[in-house]
Amino acid sequence: MTNKVLNDFLEPQLQALRDQGLYNTIDTVEGPNGAKIKVNGAELINLSSNNYLGFSNDDRLKKKCIEATEQYGVGAGAVRTINGTMTIHNELETRLAEFKHTEAAIAFQSGFNCNMGAISAVMTKKDAIISDELNHASIIDGCRLSGAKVLRAKHQDMDDLRRVAKEATESGLYEKIMYITDGVFSMDGDVAKIPEIVAIAEEFGLITYVDDAHGSGVMGKGAGTVKHFGMSDKIDFQMGTLSKAIGVVGGYVAGSQQLIDWLKVRARPFLFSTSLTPGAAAACIEAIDIMESDPERMEKLWENGTYLKAGLAKLGFDIGHSETPITPCIIGDENLTQQFSRRLLEEGVYAKSIVFPTVPKGTGRVRNMPTAAHTREMLDEVLATYEKVGKELKVI
Ligand SMILES: *Cc1c(COP(=O)(O)O)cnc(C)c1O
């Protein structure tokens, strides 16, 4: 069946993307996500996941997932507000709150819809949200959905944040003002300046929201960037995902009991969308238990990040200013970056190129995401491959 109106919209746009080389074809991964993955029959060293601790294919998590599936079934059956909350979901939220050192927590089906739901449950068109210019797409969309006036602040520039906060406060136009930021920025691996943010927020009475998708399981012994700075009681919303270091799927907000009570009656993805599967909830609980009892995985993650960074820098690559295991290798030119990533792939290393508009023009990079599951041998192989391709393409 063809719908002319729809086709007239789709065809030229798809063609334009293909012509510009911007149409993204998605690789098929034949098996689990891990330090190695299989794509088109080839075994590749995987430096593209967010599976920081290797949990997504961990036997202990799989076992808990299967047990909970036996006990509760494959699906929750209905939204929680209508058909009740399963014990396993309550248990997950209790564990999350303990882990994040907050009074309470609420779990969502994904980090993306958590941001959509949580921001718009609190902020309205009478409010303003100051947003770091490099915040994640789900924050941008959540802010838009809320109807609040969005005020951009320069990336990690505390003088600019202070200026915007001052202007917004003095304008008298807004009932509430929120500052929202990623905890760890995934493109550069830099960390939000939580103590300075808290000081500015206190001065101007800002609500604070930290999206710690890339900090949870990585910073603060797993508990995240806010905990890393010892400021768990100073940030109003500690948002995180269960899909990255935790290895499963889902999102959450940890905060005061009152905030969580409010989100449970006003956050629309919580109210109108079925909760996480019981198996996913159980696997997440197991991941938290392991992080608490076995800090070695996090140490290994950092060790691997440090090793890869030092190796690339020694070869003469520009690795930017990451403060976390995230290791960008900045090539610059967009085409060269894409060519570099393609050559790595042909040589057995799966590390994706990230170019404009995801990052500023001229700062194209291959982004490497080492995990706790990578061995020293794998990283040495990666470094040898970078050296080969780097010389071949005259990047080093
Ligand atoms: C990945 C990511 C999300 C979305 O998380 P999902 O659980 O994958 O939906 C939200 N915010 C940031 C900063 C992210 O990096």
Side-chain angles (χ1 to χ4, degrees):
M1 203 191 90
T2 53
N3 179 318
K4 190 171 174 337
V5 178
L6 180 61
N7 284 350
D8 285 352
F9 166 76
L10 296 176
E11 246 174 61
Q13 308 227 48
L14 278 169
Q15 197 51 51
L17 285 178
R18 290 192 177 110
D19 290 346
Q20 295 163 47
L22 294 176
Y23 187 80
N24 185 28
T25 24
I26 298 171
D27 296 324
T28 302
V29 179
E30 299 143 4
N33 185 301
K36 289 198 169 183
I37 50 168
K38 207 167 159 194
V39 179
N40 289 329
E43 282 257 326
L44 307 168
I45 299 176
N46 183 17
L47 285 172
S48 291
S49 82
N50 300 311
N51 184 15
Y52 289 109
L53 300 173
F55 278 157
S56 68
N57 191 36
D58 186 285
D59 285 338
R60 293 162 293 182
L61 270 70
K62 286 198 275 192
K63 184 163 171 280
K64 292 289 177 183
C65 178
I66 292 164
E67 281 170 13
T69 305
E70 300 283 2
Q71 188 180 347
Y72 293 96
V74 289
V79 296
R80 291 164 64 176
T81 42
I82 292 173
N83 206 171
T85 288
M86 287 173 166
T87 322
I88 194 83
H89 295 111
N90 282 335
E91 209 183 299
L92 172 62
E93 288 168 345
T94 305
R95 288 294 283 124
L96 280 169
E98 279 169 13
F99 191 53
K100 304 296 281 190
H101 299 264
T102 60
E103 286 173 15
I106 176 174
F108 291 82
Q109 304 83 355
S110 80
F112 202 107
N113 80 10
C114 176
N115 276 337
M116 302 291 281
I119 299 168
S120 60
V122 171
M123 304 307 282
T124 74
K125 60 180 189 302
K126 295 178 181 163
D127 302 322
I129 305 175
I130 306 172
S131 179
D132 184 286
E133 63 186 345
L134 296 189
N135 276 343
H136 188 259
S138 58
I139 296 181
I140 295 169
D141 287 8
C143 291
R144 276 192 198 138
L145 186 65
S146 75
K149 174 81 180 169
V150 178
L151 307 167
R152 268 162 66 111
K154 285 192 191 136
H155 179 54
Q156 294 261 50
D157 181 335
M158 293 299 113
D159 291 335
D160 199 48
L161 169 57
R162 165 180 291 278
R163 177 188 65 78
V164 178
K166 189 164 185 285
E167 274 178 25
T169 313
E170 286 173 358
S171 74
L173 288 170
Y174 310 111
E175 277 185 6
K176 309 191 282 302
I177 304 170
M178 171 186 275
Y179 177 59
I180 188 160
T181 181
D182 281 24
V184 172
F185 288 85
S186 64
M187 296 305 152
D188 292 292
D190 51 334
V191 176
K193 297 166 182 160
I194 303 293
E196 286 155 271
I197 289 167
V198 166
I200 295 169
E202 284 179 350
E203 187 180 340
F204 296 100
L206 311 180
I207 297 169
T208 47
Y209 190 123
V210 174
D211 172 342
D212 215 14
H214 286 273
S216 303
V218 177
M219 303 286 292
K221 294 197 165 56
T225 307
V226 175
K227 178 68 181 19
H228 168 80
F229 288 104
M231 305 201 113
S232 303
D233 56 342
K234 304 279 191 197
I235 294 292
D236 299 306
F237 291 72
Q238 286 193 61
M239 178 272 169
T241 81
L242 299 166
S243 62
K244 291 180 175 146
I246 308 293
V248 192
V249 71
Y252 60 88
V253 174
S256 70
Q257 186 66 53
Q258 260 199 96
L259 171 63
I260 304 307
D261 288 348
W262 178 251
L263 294 179
K264 285 188 173 176
V265 293
R266 279 294 181 276
R268 292 169 70 83
F270 184 87
L271 298 177
F272 298 110
S273 180
T274 301
S275 60
L276 291 169
T277 66
C284 292
I285 295 169
E286 180 68 6
I288 298 170
D289 287 350
I290 297 172
M291 284 194 285
E292 277 184 346
S293 63
D294 175 18
E296 274 173 31
R297 290 179 85 90
M298 279 164 266
E299 285 158 20
K300 179 82 176 148
L301 164 67
W302 281 84
E303 198 184 296
N304 280 345
T306 307
Y307 186 76
L308 185 63
K309 277 188 216 165
L312 287 174
K314 197 163 158 232
L315 288 171
F317 287 104
D318 175 2
I319 57 162
H321 305 283
S322 173
E323 301 166 76
T324 62
I326 295 171
T327 306
C329 182
I330 300 163
I331 309 281
D333 179 76
E334 282 72 25
N335 286 325
L336 184 58
T337 307
Q338 280 163 343
Q339 195 187 353
F340 200 103
S341 168
R342 264 197 310 276
R343 283 290 298 125
L344 288 176
L345 177 75
E346 285 161 10
E347 298 290 330
V349 175
Y350 195 74
K352 284 293 167 127
S353 58
I354 297 181
V355 298
F356 180 80
T358 309
V359 293
K361 266 214 173 89
T363 71
R365 68 209 48 205
V366 178
R367 190 180 56 163
N368 304 285
M369 308 291 267
T371 72
H374 288 90
T375 62
R376 189 50 64 89
E377 291 69 41
M378 291 179 199
L379 296 181
D380 285 335
E381 211 178 311
V382 167
L383 289 169
T385 309
Y386 260 90
E387 184 174 13
K388 179 177 176 188
V389 175
K391 284 180 176 159
E392 177 189 308
L393 299 180
K394 300 193 168 44
V395 176
I396 52 169

